[in-house]
Amino acid sequence: MNILPTERRSLIVLFGATGDLATRKLYPAMLKLYEKGNIREHFAVIGTSRHKIDDEKYREIVEKSVAKETSNKKMVSDFASHFYFVTHDVTNVSHYANLKDKSAELDKKYALGGNRVFYISMAPNFFGTVAKNLKTQHLLSENGGFNRLVIEKPFGRDFESAKQLNDELSAAFEENQIFRIDHYLGKEMIQNIEAIRFGNTIFEALWNNRYIDNIQVTLAENLGVEERAGYYDNSGALRDMVQNHIMQIVSLLAMEQPVAFKDTDIRQEKVKALRSLRVYNVAEASTNFVRGQYGGVGNSKEYRQEDGVPKDSNTETFVAGKLLFDNYRWSGTPFYIRTGKKLADKFTRVDVVFKKPLVDIFSFPQSGSTPLNANVLTIFIEPNQGFSLMVNAKNSEQGFHTEPVNLQFLEDSKRTKETPQPYERLIHDVLKGDGTNFASWPEVASAWKFVDQIRRVWDIQQPMFPNYIPGSMGPVSADELLARDHREWVYKLNK
Ligand code: NAD
């Protein structure tokens, strides 16, 4: 069914308009929205940075950054004609007057109804400053339009810094006006977790500790730190991947059914789930989390030899852990998570491992049958999109032997290519005012409180790094973490 797009009216003030994220992701995403008619006549973008460029030069930058998206030159130039540039240092209060005048001018010119999105695509140390100056310098629209603030990651580096940042933002914007980007939440199959769970009796009826043995979440990357060494070495996999993306995925898997499929109800359930996540003490954190750092092999440099990484760095490039929820639904069913760089492949998947049948009537002595396998629901998030369900069935040979059979649905590559990219979805959600796929402050706060405990323990213990080879699935300790519980990772190498 084709649904006609609703045109969203808004001014987008983009801070960091000449940066990497804006040119690589944001302009192409906006072009897609323009192409589909989600933004068309009534939108304008004011790009800002300290660069001294005019509108014409800025439009060239925008056109260049979207060139590979389409061959329709006329559409690209029409699109780019909505972009304006204001040279602006966000730390200089006097510079906001220009921005205010330009906003008022474009609001009138494009009949934007006073709707404003402020998108801060800059280093996080500027988030608070910009939010404060927007408020004190009267950039927020006061004539009935909306004001929304979009901020990039990372949101703090621990609970304390995140809280301080949140206090700064809250002084200028209400929680429902703040959209904290976690681009994983814009991915098709992450959003599909809710459809699979709450749209299917066969799954939701079994979605609890009576029928599920454990859930595994893997976010694997095959590249190393590349050009991000400076940032990454200060952060590490726990802060860079676990606190945000993994905790968000886990909360979608663990939450109760929301009253309705809308942002406030979904957030409420995610927060409730995260609040029942057990925050570990020192002993529990040491036992339930393991870390790794990649070594070198052949031409592949070890992490400590990468440009920009200190030779004695103890930053983890791999994390695996066991999460426990102390609530009625999940008590006794662990969630295992892992993420790392320079692993065997690049993919994200969730494996839901069901309990084996309590009685296996097929495998008795002399039956020749192998014991029944656990049913496994795998949700493929990327690069493939789809899911599979492993069930036991009789094989077609003489006699009676069961074997695992895989029921699989994978989106074809054409559909996968056409699927909106995360930034397209997320910018559209901001324009609609839908906060479903953004992290709320209570979620961020709970995630930091959990992660801080692990970090505290790791900061006082000396790791034995490097401890895994590129192309593997991480250190041996990640396998031992599950082996201790008499389990194993569903996805493993050389099966
Ligand atoms: P970047 O360094 O490429 O761009 C920063 C922009 O800010 C530039 O346009 C620069 O001119 C501008 N700027 C710097 N100081 C300024 C000042 N005082 N006043 C006005 N403008 C100033 O950074 P980026 O890679 O585009 O990242 C932006 C944000 O997005 C960061 O929070 C980052 O963590 C996040 N992010 C980036 C990526 C990515 O792929 N680049 C991915 C995820 C998240």
Side-chain angles (χ1 to χ4, degrees):
M1 183 175 59
N2 269 333
I3 302 171
L4 282 179
T6 307
E7 186 187 346
R8 308 283 166 188
R9 276 169 202 256
S10 188
L11 173 70
I12 301 174
V13 184
L14 179 58
F15 298 92
T18 49
D20 177 66
L21 183 75
T23 48
R24 251 177 356 96
K25 300 279 185 190
L26 305 185
Y27 301 141
M30 288 181 199
L31 179 83
K32 291 281 171 206
L33 292 173
Y34 184 76
E35 199 175 8
K36 291 175 185 166
N38 296 116
I39 49 176
R40 189 54 66 86
E41 299 304 320
H42 303 285
F43 95 97
V45 176
I46 303 179
T48 81
S49 79
R50 283 182 302 188
H51 288 85
K52 293 192 170 55
I53 55 173
D54 57 14
D55 291 347
E56 202 181 326
K57 177 72 194 148
Y58 180 43
R59 287 171 191 169
E60 272 172 32
I61 294 173
V62 172
E63 288 190 22
K64 196 167 154 221
S65 76
V66 302
K68 61 178 185 315
E69 305 294 326
T70 175
S71 53
N72 187 340
K73 293 212 162 89
K74 163 91 173 67
M75 181 184 67
V76 168
S77 76
D78 289 349
F79 168 71
S81 71
H82 289 253
F83 286 69
Y84 298 80
F85 195 82
V86 174
T87 300
H88 175 94
D89 181 343
V90 296
T91 58
N92 190 331
V93 175
S94 69
H95 285 194
Y96 286 77
N98 273 347
L99 215 48
K100 186 175 176 217
D101 293 345
K102 194 75 187 168
S103 303
E105 178 196 320
L106 295 179
D107 189 40
K108 209 183 241 168
K109 178 168 177 183
Y110 291 95
L112 302 177
N115 292 336
R116 289 185 186 172
V117 170
F118 302 97
Y119 196 131
I120 315 182
S121 177
M122 299 179 66
N125 53 312
F126 293 115
F127 296 168
T129 311
V130 177
K132 182 172 117 207
N133 290 340
L134 288 174
K135 168 105 174 162
T136 58
Q137 303 312 305
H138 309 289
L139 263 288
L140 305 190
S141 131
E142 287 165 353
N143 62 354
F146 60 67
N147 291 293
R148 294 177 186 150
L149 180 73
V150 184
I151 46 170
E152 274 297 331
K153 74 166 206 182
F155 199 91
R157 53 177 286 111
D158 52 23
F159 173 74
E160 280 312 319
S161 57
K163 182 169 182 322
Q164 192 185 338
L165 170 58
N166 201 57
D167 289 346
E168 286 168 18
L169 301 184
S170 315
F173 291 85
E174 302 288 330
E175 174 64 22
N176 65 7
Q177 296 176 311
I178 304 173
F179 293 75
R180 298 173 192 81
I181 295 260
D182 182 331
H183 71 277
Y184 264 77
L185 294 179
K187 291 183 193 279
E188 170 75 7
M189 285 306 293
I190 297 284
Q191 301 191 354
N192 219 336
I193 290 175
E194 289 143 300
I196 291 172
R197 279 193 61 187
F198 303 118
N200 297 289
T201 314
I202 58 162
F203 294 131
E204 189 50 22
L206 307 180
W207 209 262
N208 57 53
N209 51 8
R210 273 178 298 151
Y211 300 105
I212 293 180
D213 180 75
N214 72 93
I215 295 186
Q216 305 177 8
V217 178
T218 305
L219 274 67
E221 296 178 279
N222 52 1
L223 295 179
V225 277
E226 312 300 303
E227 296 93 38
R228 290 177 71 224
Y231 162 76
Y232 193 85
D233 197 64
N234 234 323
S235 164
L238 187 66
R239 288 191 175 105
D240 192 45
M241 301 295 279
V242 177
Q243 184 277 333
N244 38 42
H245 312 317
I246 289 190
M247 296 298 262
Q248 283 292 333
I249 297 173
V250 165
S251 62
L252 286 168
L253 291 163
M255 72 181 184
E256 296 299 312
Q257 177 162 325
V259 174
F261 191 62
K262 63 174 209 264
D263 54 1
T264 41
D265 290 335
I266 295 170
R267 283 178 165 189
Q268 199 173 10
E269 296 308 333
K270 282 162 73 189
V271 172
K272 247 166 64 190
L274 287 172
R275 283 181 52 204
S276 50
L277 179 64
R278 190 181 305 171
V279 176
Y280 290 142
N281 60 31
V282 174
E284 289 168 328
S286 310
T287 327
N288 292 330
F289 267 76
V290 301
R291 57 182 155 162
Q293 188 187 77
Y294 59 80
V297 67
N299 289 337
S300 180
K301 278 188 199 165
E302 69 173 70
Y303 178 72
R304 287 174 177 168
Q305 301 301 322
E306 300 268 20
D307 293 342
V309 174
K311 301 283 169 266
D312 57 352
S313 170
N314 280 338
T315 298
E316 76 285 353
T317 61
F318 178 94
V319 179
K322 170 167 145 183
L323 279 61
L324 297 169
F325 288 91
D326 291 317
N327 61 23
Y328 197 76
R329 188 185 279 263
W330 293 119
S331 178
T333 293
F335 285 58
Y336 297 103
I337 56 119
R338 62 180 164 168
T339 182
K341 293 198 175 291
K342 287 241 175 139
L343 298 182
D345 209 344
K346 177 173 169 54
F347 63 88
T348 301
R349 63 188 266 165
V350 174
D351 295 291
V352 181
V353 184
F354 290 86
K355 291 190 172 169
K356 290 185 184 175
L358 292 179
V359 180
D360 180 352
I361 60 168
F362 306 117
S363 59
F364 49 87
Q366 288 97 44
S367 69
S369 248
T370 47
L372 291 172
N373 288 273
N375 302 125
V376 179
L377 169 70
T378 299
I379 305 176
F380 299 103
I381 289 161
E382 64 180 358
N384 296 324
Q385 297 180 3
F387 46 90
S388 69
L389 181 63
M390 218 286 299
V391 297
N392 294 300
K394 179 188 173 303
N395 74 12
S396 52
E397 291 162 18
Q398 181 71 284
F400 198 102
H401 302 296
T402 58
E403 64 180 9
V405 176
N406 217 19
L407 310 179
Q408 181 158 290
F409 163 77
L410 285 182
E411 205 64 272
D412 67 42
S413 58
K414 183 167 171 284
R415 286 274 298 265
T416 303
K417 249 177 107 184
E418 284 166 0
T419 303
Q421 292 299 301
Y423 276 100
E424 181 187 337
R425 281 181 197 282
L426 296 175
I427 295 172
H428 188 222
D429 284 350
V430 171
L431 293 170
K432 280 196 303 185
D434 182 349
T436 306
N437 300 309
F438 297 84
S440 67
W441 167 243
E443 292 166 53
V444 175
S446 298
W448 273 127
K449 283 179 188 164
F450 178 81
V451 158
D452 279 356
Q453 283 297 94
I454 319 291
R455 190 72 262 168
R456 247 171 233 138
V457 174
W458 284 358
D459 284 346
I460 50 173
Q461 290 174 354
Q462 185 67 19
M464 299 282 281
F465 284 165
N467 62 353
Y468 70 95
I469 53 166
S472 67
M473 277 310 287
V476 177
S477 52
D479 294 331
E480 289 168 351
L481 181 73
L482 272 71
R484 237 180 25 222
D485 297 343
H486 309 289
R487 297 186 174 105
E488 56 183 10
W489 294 104
V490 173
Y491 177 92
K492 43 190 185 302
L493 289 178
N494 311 321
K495 273 207 275 194

